[in-house]
Amino acid sequence: MKLIVAIVQDQDVNALMDALTEKKYRVTKLSSTGGFLKSGNTTLLIGVEDDKVNEVKELVDHNCKTREITTSLLTVTMPGDTFVPYPLEVKVGGATLFVLNVDEFLRV
Ligand code: 2BA
């Protein structure tokens, strides 16, 4: 068995969760925050049999889009200690996946 940890953009979560639950996958949704942009994203925990990993990857691929985001995350210091927001183009997603081996799965 595998545990798929999928970090996805908030905009894609509902469509992805609908697609997963329609195929009878069990999913846990966690609110999370990206360390770089410091803005919200969503982490899904999906426990699956080994032979289902590829189907889950395909559903993620189908439902999660790459987006270009312009952020003023960085600031540059100007003479006189003025901070000027520095626009930064960042490409986010479609999704970041970790596929982990599960030693034991229990539902009690
Ligand atoms: P964030 O950390 O907010 O990162 C958002 C996007 O910013 C990333 O998109 C990437 O394009 C860029 N980015 C991140 N760190 C960077 C850095 N040190 N320098 C330059 N650009 C950087 P994605 O790669 O698609 O990642 C989307 C979200 O997935 C991340 O949000 C983070 O929450 C998670 N993530 C990505 N890789 C991870 C990893 N190796 N471990 C844990 N979480 C990860």
Side-chain angles (χ1 to χ4, degrees), residues 7-9 32-39 41 43 66-67 69 73 88-98:
I7 302 165
V8 304
Q9 296 174 71
S32 46
T33 303
F36 188 68
L37 294 177
K38 297 183 176 56
S39 63
N41 53 28
T43 299
T66 301
R67 295 183 178 85
I69 292 178
L73 183 76
L88 179 72
E89 294 277 325
V90 180
K91 198 177 271 189
V92 185
T96 301
L97 298 186
F98 300 90

Side-chain angles (χ1 to χ4, degrees), residues 13 20 22 24 26 30-31 34 36 38 44 54 57-58 69 75 84 86 94 105:
V13 168
L20 288 165
E22 194 177 311
K24 311 286 182 217
R26 292 163 188 260
L30 307 172
S31 295
F36 188 68
K38 297 183 176 56
L44 299 180
N54 281 338
K57 284 188 200 167
E58 281 166 18
I69 292 178
T75 53
V84 178
Y86 185 83
F105 170 63

